[in-house]
Amino acid sequence: MASEQLKKSVLRRLGTIKGHIAGIEKMVEDDKPCEDILFQLSAVMGAVNKLSAHILEGYTEACLNDVSIEADVRQRIENLTKTMLAMVKKA
């Protein structure tokens, strides 16, 4: 993990996801309608995708800060990362 701040943020998001999963388990135990369970699962998948994007963003930033590269190369990498993040968040 690149930084303590990123680590704390990731752990906080994972805690939220765990809470959602526990809620879904309870819904299954309580025989809630499938459509309600599926809606909550969709929310969890979105949260996991956003977490993946968050980690990717932090990792890319840390990698770029560790090397000396030309400004135009750095900009191209940052643009590529933004595109990848947009795709991950939509998945």
Side-chain angles (χ1 to χ4, degrees):
M1 199 63 26
S3 71
E4 277 301 310
Q5 182 180 7
L6 178 60
K7 183 178 179 177
K8 287 179 184 179
S9 175
V10 167
L11 290 172
R12 185 178 61 249
R13 290 173 187 230
L14 284 171
T16 300
I17 292 167
K18 283 196 307 190
H20 284 300
I21 295 293
I24 293 169
E25 286 178 332
K26 177 113 175 70
M27 291 174 76
V28 171
E29 290 169 357
D30 294 345
D31 292 320
K32 297 293 181 186
C34 289
E35 56 203 15
D36 294 346
I37 294 168
L38 289 168
F39 181 76
Q40 290 303 313
L41 283 171
S42 176
V44 168
M45 289 187 296
V48 169
N49 286 338
K50 287 180 182 177
L51 175 58
S52 296
H54 183 62
I55 292 171
L56 175 62
E57 188 173 28
Y59 177 64
T60 302
E61 184 178 317
C63 288
L64 288 176
N65 289 337
D66 286 347
V67 296
S68 177
I69 55 177
E70 296 176 22
D72 63 324
V73 173
R74 177 178 294 272
Q75 186 61 51
R76 291 184 77 180
I77 293 171
E78 288 173 356
N79 290 343
L80 174 61
T81 301
K82 286 178 187 176
T83 301
M84 290 170 35
L85 290 172
M87 293 176 70
V88 169
K89 288 179 182 178
K90 288 182 181 180

